[in-house]
Amino acid sequence: MIRQRLKRLSPEWQNRLRRLSRLRWLRKAMIVRDYGVSLRERPLGVIRYVLLDPEVGDFSYELDNEGELVGFLAHTLGVDEVALAGYLAEMHSDPTFSSELAQRTRRRIDMKRHIGFGPRIGWYAAVRALKPKLVAETGIKHGLGSLVVLQALQRNAQEGSPGRLISCDLDPFSGWVVPERLRGHWRAVFGSTFDVLDDTLAGEEVDLFICDTPPEDRFESFDVHTAMRHAAPSIVMITGAGNRTTALREMTAELGGRFSCFAERPRHDIYPGAGLGVAVISREISLPTT
């Protein structure tokens, strides 16, 4: 009975209650073990994470190899490297991702005080460089990725290249970090992507697709194949689990596109990273509709 009542609470309150539980410490110790982090080699990092870090998923961190990410995107997308570096500098200096975000998250005990965007900074640079008219995203959660894309789209609009974002997530409470000022060109659709994604993209042409769902091939395969049926003549697809899933890689090979994977190095975090997969695909070959 109590468990059923707890399920009716919002995810925010469920997270608060879970954080107070000693079982949370046990879960984090198991995460450390699963990622192969050695207590002997990194005693302070492990102890700090298990006792103090609020995150047990959707990890936030800075990158130790940001410069390599710039080179990777320049080569993969065919974009000027200097321009990409400038877009990342622009993001780092934008209060949207620092002081404004801190104000929105300061009462959240399930999030760090300083939030790093990890490989999502590559999403920002890609949106700024490619100037997509429509970005589609699966997986919202807090909305950090949506925030990154929407702020980049707003910058594009100010330069005369407007765009929109369509996001899908199962949880109706997701996306709470996105401020009202950025929601005018954002459509958030709540429901399983298996149920809503195809209808949501009907009549649209997607220029950039981002799959940030749980790192399982069954989710990624459905999402990327569905998005491909609604693709613009040329589409860029990004997956946040490039080293853990193969669906986007396999579809890209089937269609004769280009797929590359970037191995990020998280800074001062027990999370090893999942790899940023990027594909560039033409619609010359269409997929079956079933």
Side-chain angles (χ1 to χ4, degrees):
M1 180 68 72
I2 294 176
R3 183 174 295 179
Q4 291 299 319
R5 290 181 178 177
L6 289 176
K7 288 183 178 179
R8 297 173 188 169
L9 297 174
S10 72
E12 177 180 358
W13 278 103
Q14 290 184 37
N15 283 328
R16 290 183 178 185
L17 292 175
R18 280 195 293 267
R19 180 144 189 227
L20 296 176
S21 172
R22 292 181 182 178
L23 293 176
R24 186 177 179 87
W25 295 341
L26 177 60
R27 182 181 177 189
K28 289 197 286 185
M30 293 175 66
I31 289 173
V32 170
R33 182 200 64 188
D34 291 344
Y35 287 148
V37 182
S38 170
L39 176 61
R40 178 176 298 178
E41 295 177 3
R42 296 179 56 187
L44 293 180
V46 170
I47 293 171
R48 185 185 302 114
Y49 172 70
V50 172
L51 297 181
L52 301 176
D53 197 307
E55 297 178 343
V56 293
D58 197 32
F59 295 95
S60 62
Y61 49 89
E62 304 287 352
L63 293 182
D64 256 343
N65 56 339
E66 184 175 305
E68 294 175 16
L69 176 60
V70 171
F72 167 82
L73 290 174
H75 175 75
T76 304
L77 302 178
V79 178
D80 180 69
E81 190 168 332
V82 174
L84 286 171
Y87 292 139
L88 292 190
E90 173 184 275
M91 180 179 175
H92 289 319
S93 64
D94 192 330
T96 299
F97 307 110
S98 53
S99 57
E100 290 182 18
L101 180 60
Q103 285 296 313
R104 300 182 71 83
T105 61
R106 61 191 177 93
R107 290 190 176 90
R108 296 278 305 206
I109 63 174
D110 59 326
M111 299 186 75
K112 293 177 181 176
R113 300 283 74 82
H114 174 75
I115 295 174
F117 287 86
R120 291 188 183 100
I121 64 175
W123 303 8
Y124 183 90
V127 173
R128 290 289 283 125
L130 299 175
K131 304 293 190 290
K133 294 180 180 178
L134 177 61
V135 182
E137 169 197 31
T138 53
I140 303 174
K141 200 169 182 180
H142 301 307
L144 295 176
S146 304
L147 177 66
V148 164
V149 172
L150 287 166
Q151 182 65 5
L153 288 174
Q154 184 180 74
R155 292 267 191 174
N156 288 349
Q158 292 169 349
E159 297 173 358
S161 299
R164 298 177 292 129
L165 171 65
I166 296 175
S167 305
C168 294
D169 197 283
L170 189 62
D171 181 7
F173 293 97
S174 60
W176 59 271
V177 302
V178 178
E180 194 63 37
R181 66 179 178 82
L182 292 177
R183 292 176 177 253
H185 300 287
W186 185 35
R187 181 186 176 194
V189 179
F190 300 111
S192 168
T193 56
F194 292 97
D195 298 326
V196 304
L197 184 58
D198 199 32
D199 288 342
T200 297
L201 298 181
E204 302 281 8
E205 284 197 349
V206 180
D207 301 294
L208 174 61
F209 179 72
I210 300 171
C211 181
D212 199 28
T213 53
E216 296 181 27
D217 275 310
R218 63 190 182 99
F219 294 121
E220 182 177 291
S221 179
F222 178 85
D223 290 358
V224 298
H225 281 79
T226 301
M228 193 63 206
R229 291 199 295 270
H230 303 278
S234 180
I235 184 172
V236 172
M237 292 190 167
I238 296 175
T239 176
N243 285 335
R244 297 187 182 182
T245 55
T246 61
L248 179 57
R249 184 192 307 265
E250 291 170 355
M251 187 187 77
T252 305
E254 175 189 346
L255 298 179
R258 304 191 313 275
F259 178 89
S260 302
C261 189
F262 172 75
E264 78 265 27
R265 293 200 302 272
R267 179 182 301 161
H268 307 312
D269 203 285
I270 58 94
Y271 180 62
L276 185 72
V278 181
V280 181
I281 308 173
S282 170
R283 280 197 64 185
E284 292 179 357
I285 303 176
S286 60
L287 293 178
T289 58
T290 58

